[in-house]
């Protein structure tokens, strides 16, 4: 899927497009559809477990040919009618709009409204939508289904705050009202040799909110060739959008590389990674780093990059306190994009609400030539492979927004990472080295005396370190660490780690990085 196009499709809703009291429920029509059924999370878990014992059935492409052949323009010309929003004109704090099937979305999704413990299937009706395209759609069946949905809140019903659309993808916005990176229900075999599997949310249940409610409850059934799952969401909009998620997984087969709470983002070019720096904009990315809060209470910042070759890194941990992909650089001048506003992209923080045991936070960085491809993935990978016939429970909180509460601590944080050719200005270079410049700010750095003897503690897996320093940086009221790495003749990745210290006291989070030196024949000295 073209990512830029998907972002534009999300943006259509920000201008207005909705669903309502005129919405049809299958049980209220003599259409042969199933009527309302008793619903509970326990029932949903039982259904997911039952399905896991059956062969997987794909429903991709189960829609009329007129929808399969929609062009981008014709699909864009289908818009939801504002007067048809679910719960419109009912004085309720939430409304829901539905996405039409077609174009990239070829698998029907079933959606239900939950009232007083009873699930009412929502029927398709052409009257929900405006059709302004040139391609005739013909008569579409009541049981057509939908592609997904998005959530609107009473603070401004014209704008959507969250959307669930495509496979098990979903997004949300904070006060900046700007979509960016995505979350997913589950990742299976990401970057694996046999190809990645994309589980999908096959059905949703949306609970009608009570008057004055500030949260919306959503349940989802996940299905894929290797696993089924039951999901319970509590959506809490605000300056930071919070989602509490409970998950029950039932594998159909053993899964070695499983991603719990997977995050998907994009990084093309930035201060530390300029391989694809051909665009007029200085930086192009949804996120600029992975933050880890380990079970041992260590804070780690790993700048992300657009590598020349696929990179897969695992950060081993036990009972992590949190992890997330963040967009720390929020200065418009660094991006100059007044169309999609990368400076406003929300970060996403994952906070486990129970013990996850042993495993690793895995980071996948995939090469990309442009911004239309989501090339960054991060998730929790349990140490023990999931086996069929078992139930696996996970619970966590997702926080979307500009500054994530979990990162607030007395430690200074990384504000920028820059790299370039090493050496001493004005002196002829006789060998290759690569410079790293890391800016830290916040925490205890703001309280240091002018003569404080701050030192960088630098660790590298290979090569030699030279010309290292740490000095005050008044422009950010922080410190700048700098050093050159002289690699050996190998081109394998080199792991680096830096913290700033005052005596034995650690002043900053831990900066970690992976650098792949060019082959010796390509190490230009200029």
């Amino acid at each position: 899927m073209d990512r830029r196009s998907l972002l534009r499709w999300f943006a259509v809703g920000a201008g207005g497009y909705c669903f309502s009291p005129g919405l049809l429920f299958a049980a209220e029509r003599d259409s042969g559809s199933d009527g309302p059924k008793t619903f509970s999370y326990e029932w949903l878990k039982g259904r997911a477990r039952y399905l896991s014992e059956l062969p997987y059935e794909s429903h991709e492409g189960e829609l009329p040919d007129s929808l399969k052949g929609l062009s981008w323009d014709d699909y864009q010309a289908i818009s939801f009618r504002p007067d048809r929003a679910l719960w419109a004109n009912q004085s309720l704090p939430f409304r829901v709009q539905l996405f039409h099937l077609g174009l990239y979305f070829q698998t029907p999704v079933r959606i239900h409204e939950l009232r007083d413990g009873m699930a009412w299937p929502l029927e398709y009706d052409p009257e929900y939508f405006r059709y302004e395209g040139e391609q005739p759609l013909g008569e579409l069946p009541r049981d057509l289904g939908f592609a997904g949905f998005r959530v609107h809140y009473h603070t401004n019903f014209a704008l959507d705050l969250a959307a669930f659309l495509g496979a098990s993808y979903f997004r949300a916005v904070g006060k900046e009202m700007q979509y960016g990176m995505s979350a997913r229900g589950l990742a299976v075999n990401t970057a694996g040799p046999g190809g990645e599997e994309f589980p999908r949310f096959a059905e949703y249940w949306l609970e009608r909110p009570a008057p004055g409610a500030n949260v919306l409850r959503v349940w989802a059934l996940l299905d894929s060739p290797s696993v089924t799952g039951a999901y319970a969401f509590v959506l809490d909009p605000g300056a930071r959008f919070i989602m509490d998620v409970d998950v029950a997984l039932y594998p159909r087969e053993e899964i070695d590389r499983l991603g719990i709470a997977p995050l998907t983002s994009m990084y093309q070019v930035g201060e530390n990674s300029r391989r694809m720096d051909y665009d007029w904009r200085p930086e192009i990315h949804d996120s600029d780093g992975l933050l880890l809060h380990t079970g041992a209470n260590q804070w780690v910042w790993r700048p992300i990059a657009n590598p020349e070759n696929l990179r897969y890194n695992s950060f081993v941990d036990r009972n992590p306190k949190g992890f997330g992909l963040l967009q720390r650089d929020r200065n418009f001048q660094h991006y100059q994009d007044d169309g999609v506003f990368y400076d406003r992209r929300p970060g996403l923080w994952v906070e486990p609400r129970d013990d996850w045991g042993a495993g690793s936070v895995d980071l996948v960085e995939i090469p990309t030539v442009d911004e239309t491809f989501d090339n960054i993935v991060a998730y929790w990978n349990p140490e023990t492979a999931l086996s069929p016939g078992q139930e696996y429970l996970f619970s966590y909180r997702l926080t979307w927004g500009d500054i994530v509460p979990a990162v607030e601590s007395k430690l200074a944080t990384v504000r920028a990472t820059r790299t370039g050719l090493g050496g001493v200005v004005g002196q002829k270079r006789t060998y290759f080295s690569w410079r790293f410049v890391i800016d830290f700010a916040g925490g205890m750095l703001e309280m240091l005396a002018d003569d404080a003897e701050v030192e960088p503690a630098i660790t590298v897996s290979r090569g030699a370190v030279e010309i290292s320093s740490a000095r005050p940086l008044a422009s950010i009221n922080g410190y700048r660490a700098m050093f050159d790495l002289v690699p050996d003749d190998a081109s394998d990745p080199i792991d680096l780690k830096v913290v700033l210290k005052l005596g034995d006291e650690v002043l900053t989070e831990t900066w970690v990085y992976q650098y792949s030196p060019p082959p010796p024949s390509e190490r230009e000295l200029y």
Side-chain angles (χ1 to χ4, degrees):
M1 178 186 297
D2 183 297
R3 179 179 185 278
R4 170 75 70 162
S5 298
L6 181 58
L7 287 176
R8 287 171 55 199
W9 176 241
F10 272 115
V12 171
Y17 140 75
C18 314
F19 154 2
S20 123
L23 190 68
L24 297 179
F25 299 96
E28 296 173 341
R29 297 181 51 87
D30 184 18
S31 62
S33 299
D34 292 338
K37 292 182 172 63
T38 303
F39 177 87
S40 69
Y41 187 42
E42 290 305 314
W43 173 86
L44 181 58
K45 289 194 286 187
R47 182 176 179 188
R49 184 193 292 272
Y50 169 74
L51 291 176
S52 72
E53 299 171 354
L54 303 176
Y56 173 70
E57 293 185 18
S58 173
H59 298 281
E60 183 176 0
E62 292 182 357
L63 67 168
D65 291 340
S66 61
L67 295 179
K68 294 179 182 178
L70 283 179
S71 69
W72 164 254
D73 289 336
D74 285 339
Y75 187 66
Q76 282 282 73
I78 303 174
S79 60
F80 210 91
R81 292 176 52 185
D83 61 329
R84 297 289 184 166
L86 180 61
W87 309 317
N89 304 319
Q90 297 185 31
S91 300
L92 296 179
F94 290 90
R95 295 178 187 174
V96 169
Q97 306 176 12
L98 302 186
F99 290 106
H100 203 285
L101 285 164
L103 194 63
Y104 307 126
F105 310 108
Q106 301 280 318
T107 305
V109 173
R110 307 302 172 190
I111 300 179
H112 313 259
E113 188 200 20
L114 186 62
R115 289 181 272 157
D116 300 323
M118 300 296 292
W120 299 74
L122 305 186
E123 281 197 330
Y124 175 84
D125 190 318
E127 295 299 319
Y128 302 158
F129 298 91
R130 295 191 183 100
Y131 302 86
E132 300 174 355
E134 297 181 357
Q135 180 170 333
L137 300 182
E139 184 175 349
L140 299 175
R142 296 289 188 185
D143 63 351
L144 175 66
F146 303 93
F149 68 94
R150 54 186 168 201
V151 176
H152 295 241
Y153 195 46
H154 70 94
T155 52
N156 187 346
F157 280 130
L159 303 177
D160 52 307
L161 303 184
F164 290 70
L165 177 66
S168 65
Y169 284 90
F170 56 97
R171 301 173 183 235
V173 300
K175 62 184 179 182
E176 297 77 22
M177 298 303 298
Q178 180 68 51
Y179 280 119
M181 62 175 297
S182 303
R184 277 190 277 168
L186 198 66
V188 177
N189 295 328
T190 302
E196 182 168 3
E197 178 180 300
F198 290 90
R200 72 182 192 95
F201 287 141
E203 291 189 70
Y204 293 101
W205 290 261
L206 314 177
E207 184 176 59
R208 176 184 289 186
N214 55 14
V215 300
L216 178 66
R217 299 181 185 277
V218 176
W219 290 264
L221 173 67
L222 180 129
D223 199 11
S224 81
S226 64
V227 63
T228 66
Y231 285 68
F233 296 87
V234 179
L235 311 184
D236 186 359
R240 295 168 183 162
F241 199 122
I242 295 173
M243 298 181 178
D244 285 333
V245 187
D246 288 290
V247 180
L249 298 177
Y250 306 93
R252 282 189 166 102
E253 57 189 49
E254 187 166 298
I255 306 172
D256 291 323
R257 186 177 291 183
L258 185 75
I260 303 297
L263 315 178
T264 303
S265 190
M266 181 277 299
Y267 189 104
Q268 179 189 336
V269 62
E271 295 164 341
N272 60 291
S273 180
R274 300 192 293 271
R275 186 177 66 86
M276 285 288 112
D277 190 10
Y278 55 77
D279 195 275
W280 63 271
R281 295 163 294 175
E283 298 191 44
I284 303 171
H285 51 76
D286 284 337
S287 310
D288 52 16
L290 170 68
L291 182 69
L292 308 171
H293 189 191
T294 71
N297 205 34
Q298 182 183 24
W299 291 91
V300 178
W301 176 254
R302 164 62 152 77
I304 54 180
N306 181 3
E308 188 171 355
N309 300 295
L310 185 146
R311 298 199 303 201
Y312 194 108
N313 284 258
S314 294
F315 300 88
V316 177
D317 200 1
R318 176 179 289 276
N319 295 327
K321 299 181 184 295
F323 68 93
L325 291 172
L326 307 183
Q327 184 79 309
R328 278 185 170 173
D329 186 350
R330 312 197 73 78
N331 187 333
F332 173 80
Q333 300 297 330
H334 297 172
Y335 301 93
Q336 290 295 326
D337 194 317
D338 59 350
V340 296
F341 297 101
Y342 287 113
D343 56 299
R344 302 180 189 173
R345 297 300 172 98
L348 179 49
W349 182 250
V350 181
E351 188 176 4
R353 293 161 57 210
D354 52 13
D355 290 342
W356 284 4
S360 61
V361 175
D362 290 358
L363 174 66
V364 181
E365 297 165 293
I366 306 170
T368 184
V369 299
D370 60 38
E371 65 200 283
T372 64
F373 176 59
D374 281 341
N375 63 321
I376 306 296
V377 185
Y379 52 78
W380 174 255
N381 182 20
E383 180 180 74
T384 303
L386 273 61
S387 300
Q390 303 296 317
E391 178 184 66
Y392 299 90
L393 303 177
F394 298 90
S395 180
Y396 54 92
R397 168 167 289 183
L398 300 175
T399 302
W400 308 73
D402 58 340
I403 302 173
V404 181
V407 306
E408 297 169 0
S409 74
K410 70 175 184 179
L411 297 177
T413 59
V414 176
R415 302 303 170 88
T417 299
R418 299 177 176 87
T419 69
L421 191 62
V424 179
V425 175
Q427 295 185 15
K428 183 178 180 180
R429 297 183 180 91
T430 59
Y431 56 89
F432 178 85
S433 63
W434 199 247
R435 175 154 298 175
F436 295 87
V437 181
I438 309 112
D439 293 344
F440 295 90
M444 298 292 289
L445 293 184
E446 300 176 1
M447 305 172 62
L448 297 180
D450 293 340
D451 59 351
E453 297 183 0
V454 176
E455 297 289 341
I458 304 169
T459 305
V460 298
S461 60
R462 290 198 335 272
V465 172
E466 61 182 23
I467 320 179
S468 62
S469 65
R471 58 178 184 265
L473 188 61
S475 61
I476 62 171
N477 196 21
Y479 268 72
R480 170 167 288 175
M482 186 181 301
F483 67 97
D484 286 1
L485 171 67
V486 183
D488 55 19
D489 290 339
S491 298
D492 297 331
I494 300 174
D495 296 318
L496 305 91
K497 181 169 69 174
V498 175
V499 296
L500 296 187
K501 303 178 71 174
L502 179 63
D504 293 330
E505 183 176 3
V506 175
L507 302 174
T508 66
E509 65 186 5
T510 303
W511 174 91
V512 298
Y513 201 80
Q514 189 171 75
Y515 169 62
S516 297
S521 61
E522 299 178 13
R523 297 177 183 180
E524 299 186 54
L525 302 183
Y526 298 98

